[in-house]
């Protein structure tokens, strides 16, 4: 059968950005939800003279991310981030991306993650010990701090206490501005001499100076410290063994891992605790599994995550309902057929974890939090491959997926034995769908004994 023409894909004539419709338009997520509801698995629209299509059939996601991935590139959304992240793994394309991926992959092998798991458990314990029953905390803020501490130490090792504060401070300023960096005119906007830009540039300079100093120290000490920095400095390209990463390349990759590696996991944990605060039975079941496997005080390691299926199911279910990366976009490099539709060159193709993870064709009672569905092997067997894809897929699948699963389960295991969290009286829950899916008003909770 010949492909159906692009213009046969249904879609709205106008994008409801202004006027009366503005009130209904609560952001890109609500807009995509409405597109799918009205138009089905393929919906097209035009915005700022760009052609977009939203695909919501898992088989078509497989085509975009896997079988036809070479017909696409990541597109302009991350161009602004390139100013700060350099030409690193997250933003590079084509052969350069393949080369970087090959160099960095060993830092995420199972043997290395076992070492990082120890750091994860220690940081979680420090956090746990610092809490007090009855206190109100914002879990969004707390989980960000905790995952930042984890990625900081797994990246740079424990010898950086002196720099840790400096790194965290500068990084906080940068992350506060990260969404601005994704704006189309960021290259120019960042040059406007505002107070905010000045603070940002100062933070970037301080962070660079600290990271280059750490790299220089490590260059004189060739030991393997077991952290990501050691791996990056030692990384060898099998096809060109003489070619190591330069200092600037190591800086760019380290910064990328810092940014990509903490907010996503922080969101996953914050949403998980939010769901558990509403589902006491699931929380009890999870805590009891953790206590059975680990006792009351043994610290979890990498091998324990396989022994905690219910805890893992809780995390899976939380990332189904609140996928930390809720949408992925690609630009077509050439004319390509997806789902039997012609997609012309330059079209931006969008697939959304949030929408597909809540599609009732694949998920009975889709809005309900039911960790048990992950333990039902028969249901798992019939579910299409891309009905669940919190980490993306294909050649650009998240390089930190095993790291993130391990971190999620370990942090939950350490925290849950001691504490539970109750919604604060003034808690307001909302979605803020930026690059990641953040809780819009934070997640205010009261800390209670488990
Ligand atoms: C729950 C936690 C996480 C989620 C949900 C997540 C999700 C994702 C997704 C969906 C992508 C692919 C984006 C695309 O195809 O356009 C991605 C890429 C990436 N992630 Fe993660 N991530 C998580 C944690 C991490 C961690 C812990 C690290 C590092 C320590 C990390 C580093 C990266 C990097 C470097 C890329 C780019 C990979 C490439 O293009 O080759 N992520 N992540």
């Amino acid at each position: 059968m010949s492909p159906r023409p692009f213009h046969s894909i249904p879609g709205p004539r106008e994008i409801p950005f202004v006027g009366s419709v503005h009130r209904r338009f609560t952001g890109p997520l609500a807009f995509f939800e409405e597109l799918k509801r009205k138009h089905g698995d393929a919906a097209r629209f035009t915005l700022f003279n760009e052609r977009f299509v939203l695909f919501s059939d898992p088989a078509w996601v497989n085509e975009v991310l896997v079988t036809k991935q070479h017909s696409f590139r990541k597109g302009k959304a991350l161009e602004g981030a390139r100013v700060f992240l350099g030409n690193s793994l997250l933003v590079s394309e084509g052969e350069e991306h393949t080369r970087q991926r090959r160099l960095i992959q060993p830092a995420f092998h199972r043997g290395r993650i076992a070492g990082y798991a120890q750091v994860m458990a220690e940081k979680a314990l420090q956090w746990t010990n610092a809490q007090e029953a009855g206190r109100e905390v914002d879990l969004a803020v707390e989980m960000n701090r905790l995952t930042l501490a984890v990625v900081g130490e797994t990246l740079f090792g424990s010898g950086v206490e002196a720099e840790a504060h400096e790194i965290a401070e500068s990084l906080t300023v940068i992350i506060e501005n990260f969404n601005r960096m994704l704006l189309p005119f960021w290259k120019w906007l960042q040059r406007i001499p505002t107070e905010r830009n000045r603070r940002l540039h100062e933070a970037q300079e301080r962070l660079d100076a600290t990271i280059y100093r750490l790299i220089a120290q490590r260059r004189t000490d060739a030991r393997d410290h077991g952290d990501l920095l050691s791996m990056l400095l030692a990384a060898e390209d099998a096809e060109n063994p003489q070619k190591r990463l330069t200092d600037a390349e190591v800086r760019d990759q380290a910064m990328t891992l810092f940014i990509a590696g903490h907010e996503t996991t922080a969101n996953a944990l914050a949403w998980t605790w939010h769901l558990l605060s509403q589902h006491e039975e699931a929380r009890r079941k999870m805590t009891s599994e953790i206590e059975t496997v680990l006792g009351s005080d043994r610290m979890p390691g990498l091998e324990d995550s396989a022994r905690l299926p219910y805890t893992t199911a809780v995390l899976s279910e939380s990332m189904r309902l609140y996928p930390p990366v809720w949408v992925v976009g690609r630009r077509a490099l050439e004319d390509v057929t997806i789902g039997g539709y012609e997609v012309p060159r330059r079209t931006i193709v969008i697939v959304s974890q949030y929408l597909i993870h809540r599609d009732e064709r694949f998920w009975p009672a889709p809005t309900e939090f039911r960790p048990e569905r992950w333990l039902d092997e028969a249901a798992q067997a019939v579910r299409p491959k891309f009905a669940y894809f919190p980490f993306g897929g294909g050649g650009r699948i998240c390089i930190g997926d095993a790291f993130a699963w391990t971190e999620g389960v370990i942090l939950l295991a350490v925290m849950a034995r001691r504490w539970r969290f109750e919604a604060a009286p003034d808690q307001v829950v909302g979605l803020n769908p930026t690059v990641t899916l953040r809780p819009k008003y934070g997640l205010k909770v009261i800390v209670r004994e488990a």
Side-chain angles (χ1 to χ4, degrees):
M1 206 173 73
S2 57
R4 286 167 285 183
F6 186 75
H7 63 75
S8 70
I9 299 177
R13 278 171 197 280
E14 284 170 20
I15 302 301
F17 260 135
V18 282
S20 63
V21 207
H22 177 70
R23 277 186 287 280
R24 281 196 297 125
F25 186 81
T26 52
L29 194 150
F31 174 60
F32 292 158
E33 256 182 329
E34 195 171 317
L35 269 185
K36 178 170 183 275
R37 193 169 49 243
K38 276 195 182 154
H39 304 292
D41 285 341
R44 75 186 163 102
F45 62 98
T46 307
L47 187 63
F48 304 132
N49 252 339
E50 298 272 16
R51 211 170 27 231
F52 290 81
V53 58
L54 171 72
F55 285 128
S56 303
D57 181 320
W60 305 352
V61 177
N62 188 44
E63 288 187 57
V64 175
L65 296 184
V66 186
T67 56
K68 297 183 182 168
Q69 58 178 302
H70 299 297
S71 300
F72 296 95
R73 51 174 289 167
K74 277 186 116 168
K76 278 228 171 334
L78 287 166
E79 276 302 300
R82 205 185 278 265
V83 177
F84 172 60
L85 296 179
N87 187 27
S88 69
L89 191 60
L90 195 67
V91 288
S92 60
E93 298 279 357
E95 277 184 20
E96 175 56 17
H97 172 259
T98 313
R99 180 186 81 90
Q100 293 190 18
R101 186 99 190 182
R102 210 168 42 227
L103 280 168
I104 294 165
Q105 196 79 58
F108 290 93
H109 282 166
R110 202 178 149 80
R112 304 298 291 200
I113 292 184
Y116 309 148
Q118 260 184 4
V119 176
M120 293 165 183
E122 278 160 23
K123 292 288 166 198
L125 189 65
Q126 274 171 20
W127 185 88
T128 302
N129 288 341
Q131 302 311 305
E132 272 171 48
R135 220 176 60 187
E136 182 177 312
V137 297
D138 180 342
L139 273 179
V141 173
E142 293 297 326
M143 293 302 99
N144 252 301
R145 276 198 196 131
L146 178 54
T147 56
L148 189 59
V150 168
V151 80
E153 194 161 320
T154 47
L155 205 49
F156 294 112
S158 57
V160 294
E161 278 86 13
E163 284 89 356
H165 182 67
E166 170 64 50
I167 293 178
E169 290 249 302
S170 307
L171 211 56
T172 307
V173 176
I174 291 163
I175 288 162
E176 279 166 8
N177 283 282
F178 198 67
N179 285 317
R180 288 168 72 221
M181 293 184 192
L182 303 180
L183 293 172
F185 307 111
W186 175 244
K187 241 186 206 168
W188 294 280
L189 285 177
Q190 65 160 343
R191 298 200 190 132
I192 303 171
T194 59
E195 178 59 22
R196 196 170 172 186
N197 280 346
R198 191 188 59 74
R199 281 188 59 224
L200 175 63
H201 294 144
E202 266 178 28
Q204 286 178 337
E205 278 164 23
R206 277 200 312 267
L207 190 58
D208 275 355
T210 312
I211 289 179
Y212 281 124
R213 196 168 61 241
L214 287 169
I215 294 174
Q217 278 168 9
R218 282 296 177 82
R219 291 267 190 219
T220 60
D221 165 13
R223 278 178 310 135
D224 180 358
H225 292 249
D227 50 36
L228 283 161
L229 187 59
S230 293
M231 288 300 291
L232 292 176
L233 290 171
E236 265 182 16
D237 193 336
E239 284 174 14
N240 190 357
Q242 301 313 316
K243 196 168 181 309
R244 298 268 167 100
L245 294 172
T246 63
D247 284 5
E249 285 173 327
V250 171
R251 176 258 176 226
D252 291 350
Q253 303 295 357
M255 210 66 90
T256 297
L257 295 174
F258 238 137
I259 303 270
H262 91 280
E263 204 196 292
T264 38
T265 325
N267 284 329
L269 284 160
W271 288 119
T272 304
W273 281 118
H274 165 65
L275 288 161
L276 289 170
S277 74
Q278 297 179 321
H279 297 86
E280 179 58 13
E281 203 191 316
R283 186 197 67 82
R284 281 209 191 139
K285 231 167 140 176
M286 182 183 95
T287 312
S288 132
E289 176 185 80
I290 293 165
E291 283 171 351
T292 309
V293 173
L294 295 171
S296 58
D297 55 4
R298 187 170 72 76
M299 292 280 265
L302 175 61
E303 66 294 347
D304 290 309
S305 33
R307 294 190 203 119
L308 296 167
Y310 191 79
T311 311
T312 308
V314 165
L315 190 59
S316 307
E317 183 68 346
S318 153
M319 289 199 285
R320 181 182 72 77
L321 286 167
Y322 298 103
V325 174
W326 66 280
V327 67
V328 164
R330 294 286 189 268
R331 188 188 281 278
L333 281 174
E334 57 195 359
D335 295 348
V336 53
T337 308
I338 302 290
Y341 288 105
E342 281 169 0
V343 174
R345 194 177 84 83
R346 293 197 55 76
T347 306
I348 298 174
V349 173
I350 296 167
V351 294
S352 166
Q353 285 92 334
Y354 185 89
L355 296 183
I356 298 180
H357 289 186
R358 288 171 178 247
D359 188 322
E360 63 185 357
R361 290 174 295 178
F362 322 116
W363 307 99
T367 56
E368 279 177 29
F369 176 68
R370 288 188 185 171
E372 283 70 17
R373 64 173 102 230
W374 293 94
L375 307 171
D376 177 348
E377 284 175 16
Q380 299 252 61
V382 294
R383 201 172 291 138
K385 188 168 157 214
F386 277 92
Y388 187 69
F389 59 114
F391 294 97
R396 304 217 68 138
I397 194 170
C398 177
I399 201 167
D401 61 349
F403 184 111
W405 280 113
T406 307
E407 182 177 6
V409 171
I410 287 186
L411 266 47
L412 284 174
V414 174
M415 294 162 76
R417 275 187 297 194
R418 182 84 184 275
W419 305 116
R420 65 185 172 86
F421 305 98
E422 198 178 279
D426 59 342
Q427 187 192 61
V428 184
V429 180
L431 295 177
N432 182 15
T434 59
V435 183
T436 58
L437 191 61
R438 299 178 178 170
K440 189 165 185 175
Y441 312 102
L443 280 171
K444 289 189 194 165
V445 294
I446 313 285
V447 180
R448 302 274 183 223
E449 302 279 350

